Amino acid sequence: MADKDNQFMRKMSSKHLVTLSLGGVIGTGIFLSSGYLIQEAGAIGTIIAYVVGGFLATLVMMCLGELSVYHPNTASLHLYASKYIHPSLGFTVAWLYWLTWTVALGSQFITMGVCLQKWFPQTPIWVWCAVFSILILLLNMLDIKIFSVSEFWMSLTKIVALGIFIILGAMAITGLLPSHASSAPLFTNLVSNGVFPHGVGAVFIVLLSANFAFSGTELIGVAAGETSNPEKNIPKAIKSTLFLLITLFIGTIVVIGALIPGSSKILTESPFVSILQNIGIPYASDIMNFIIFIAILSGANSGLYAASRMLWSLSEDGTLPKVFSKLSKNGLPIYGLLLTLAGGLLSLFSSIYAESTVYLALVSISGFAVVAVWLSIGISQLRFRKVFLASHPLSDLTYRTPGYPVVPWLVIILCVVSMIGIYFDPNQRIALYFGIPFTLVSIIVYQVFYRRRTHDISTLAD
């Protein structure tokens, strides 16, 4: 870990952990892709997929809760995998996770630029990309309190927006609020084209997307080392995050599925805007454009935070130059932030100039990384408990994963099934073609170049 004068500051409360996690999770997926999923698998099928996705996320967070409460380290996902699985796999997890958020930065910059072009059509997108790069860098570099407060308000905006949408939608569904499209349809549209209009197989494919929709919840573990009173705040944050996500995501799917027929083209265009316009909300298009912009900005802000901590952790472990583990006087990894932002900009350029080669590989690896990181959490917790009980009584654990060892084994099984399922989805299969070789190369690189140079982290559980 960092030396005494070079440590992260523990300033995050449970509400900051919740909003950080929600900032990484609530993004374009729910706002832009939910209608497409309903059209593919039907409303009932999509609801089932999100219930299963929420269930898996809950299991993962139960495992992560025990690990992060017992040793609340910054960028802990890498450290847990290193100690309880193998150092080469910890090294691989760190790079997979860094790549996930860094690649996302490029597309997020462009999407935010597109959002603002709706209001400022004369301003080139590259200008907005430059502005957003500087903005999120400043939010992450000045002080952890500034970052936490900014993320709190952006995440709160998204939560309130989805909450209001669900309430208004429920009123339209029950007839309490008139709708220009139909009068009190109740829930008939949910099964208007059959329960599974494209077969049960379509539900399985949507299930993969639903699992990915909950990725980002593990940011609570990344931020554990900067959390005050982790024994109290981490479990509280996990419960609040999962409750909000599952309620908001499933509630949104129910409203969209109930108010828009499954055969409507609106589902793949702008279901949120259409529903708000039909119930008489003025400037619905502008409102949603603003909310989507905030959602992406929040995601980029959280992503830069998470990725920079992974670089710090790799540097602490001896697999990156020590400059990346140096912290500013405010306890922030400046060089990790700068390298991550540079990586995000390179991702942006590759999406423009090498879309079918470099960028395709990067996106594929980052898609594979979500399942791989969750799998590592399940395995780490399973092995941690065995190591812990060899020298400690169970009562020494402040937070214990419920249902051990069933819960970690369920995480492992469901993640492996998800990886197998990726192969059967032609649109996602390429994630395996790039993700598995990247993992193997990372393990080989570690074994060849870093096996004898990394720090001894055997004291992590002491």
Side-chain angles (χ1 to χ4, degrees), residues 52-53 55-61 63 204 207-208 211-212 218 367-379 407-423 432:
V52 174
F55 176 66
L56 175 56
T58 300
L59 297 178
V60 171
M61 294 306 293
C63 292
F204 184 74
L207 176 61
L208 300 176
N211 286 343
F212 297 150
E218 69 288 331
F368 171 84
V370 172
V371 182
V373 170
W374 281 14
L375 176 61
S376 76
I377 292 172
I379 298 173
V407 167
W409 271 115
L410 279 175
V411 170
I412 294 167
I413 292 169
L414 289 174
C415 286
V416 170
V417 168
S418 293
M419 286 186 175
I420 295 172
I422 290 174
Y423 179 80
L432 297 179

Side-chain angles (χ1 to χ4, degrees), residues 33-50 189-204 206-207 253-254 256-258 260-263 267:
S33 302
S34 52
Y36 168 78
L37 298 181
I38 293 173
Q39 193 172 68
E40 287 295 302
I44 298 296
T46 304
I47 291 169
I48 292 173
Y50 269 86
N189 281 335
L190 294 178
V191 292
S192 59
N193 292 337
V195 177
F196 303 117
H198 301 293
V200 177
V203 179
F204 184 74
V206 168
L207 176 61
I253 297 297
V254 170
I256 294 175
I260 301 179
S263 58
L267 283 173

Side-chain angles (χ1 to χ4, degrees), residues 275-356:
I275 289 172
L276 292 177
Q277 287 177 336
N278 286 335
I279 59 181
I281 303 299
Y283 307 107
S285 178
D286 288 321
I287 291 172
M288 285 311 306
N289 194 59
F290 172 75
I291 293 170
I292 290 171
F293 168 77
I294 292 295
I296 302 168
L297 179 62
S298 173
N301 198 36
S302 296
L304 182 59
Y305 171 92
S308 66
R309 269 59 179 178
M310 282 297 151
L311 295 181
W312 174 87
S313 184
L314 285 166
S315 178
E316 278 289 286
D317 201 27
T319 54
L320 267 184
K322 292 301 294 181
V323 66
F324 292 105
S325 62
K326 290 181 185 259
L327 302 180
S328 68
K329 63 179 181 179
N330 292 326
L332 299 170
I334 301 299
Y335 297 104
L337 289 166
L338 291 172
L339 181 59
T340 298
L341 183 60
L345 294 175
L346 288 175
S347 169
L348 185 156
F349 292 133
S350 71
S351 71
I352 298 172
Y353 299 108
E355 182 180 4
S356 60

Side-chain angles (χ1 to χ4, degrees), residues 111-342:
T111 308
M112 283 189 285
V114 171
C115 284
L116 288 194
Q117 269 208 326
K118 175 182 173 63
W119 297 314
F120 308 99
Q122 303 303 319
T123 305
I125 289 180
W126 71 264
V127 173
W128 293 121
C129 290
V131 170
F132 301 142
S133 300
I134 295 171
L135 176 59
I136 67 167
L137 183 61
L138 290 175
L139 290 175
N140 275 270
M141 283 181 65
L142 295 177
D143 188 276
I144 189 63
K145 199 72 175 179
I146 293 175
F147 167 82
S148 300
V149 170
S150 67
E151 195 56 47
F152 171 80
W153 286 108
M154 287 190 285
S155 293
L156 185 62
T157 300
K158 295 186 289 186
I159 295 169
V160 171
L162 286 176
I164 291 175
F165 175 78
I166 291 170
I167 293 171
L168 293 176
M171 293 174 69
I173 291 169
T174 57
L176 295 176
L177 194 64
S179 172
H180 299 310
S182 57
S183 177
L186 295 177
F187 298 101
T188 55
N189 281 335
L190 294 178
V191 292
S192 59
N193 292 337
V195 177
F196 303 117
H198 301 293
V200 177
V203 179
F204 184 74
I205 292 175
V206 168
L207 176 61
L208 300 176
S209 298
N211 286 343
F212 297 150
F214 287 93
S215 63
T217 50
E218 69 288 331
L219 275 168
I220 290 174
V222 176
E226 295 171 79
T227 304
S228 62
N229 194 3
E231 294 83 2
K232 175 184 176 182
N233 286 325
I234 290 177
K236 184 178 178 181
I238 288 174
K239 292 177 183 178
S240 300
T241 299
L242 290 170
F243 172 77
L244 285 170
L245 282 176
I246 294 171
T247 302
L248 293 174
F249 280 10
I250 294 177
T252 297
I253 297 297
V254 170
V255 168
I256 294 175
L259 291 176
I260 301 179
S263 58
S264 174
K265 292 182 179 179
I266 294 174
L267 283 173
T268 54
E269 294 171 358
S270 53
F272 281 84
V273 173
S274 177
I275 289 172
L276 292 177
Q277 287 177 336
N278 286 335
I279 59 181
I281 303 299
Y283 307 107
S285 178
D286 288 321
I287 291 172
M288 285 311 306
N289 194 59
F290 172 75
I291 293 170
I292 290 171
F293 168 77
I294 292 295
I296 302 168
L297 179 62
S298 173
N301 198 36
S302 296
L304 182 59
Y305 171 92
S308 66
R309 269 59 179 178
M310 282 297 151
L311 295 181
W312 174 87
S313 184
L314 285 166
S315 178
E316 278 289 286
D317 201 27
T319 54
L320 267 184
K322 292 301 294 181
V323 66
F324 292 105
S325 62
K326 290 181 185 259
L327 302 180
S328 68
K329 63 179 181 179
N330 292 326
L332 299 170
I334 301 299
Y335 297 104
L337 289 166
L338 291 172
L339 181 59
T340 298
L341 183 60

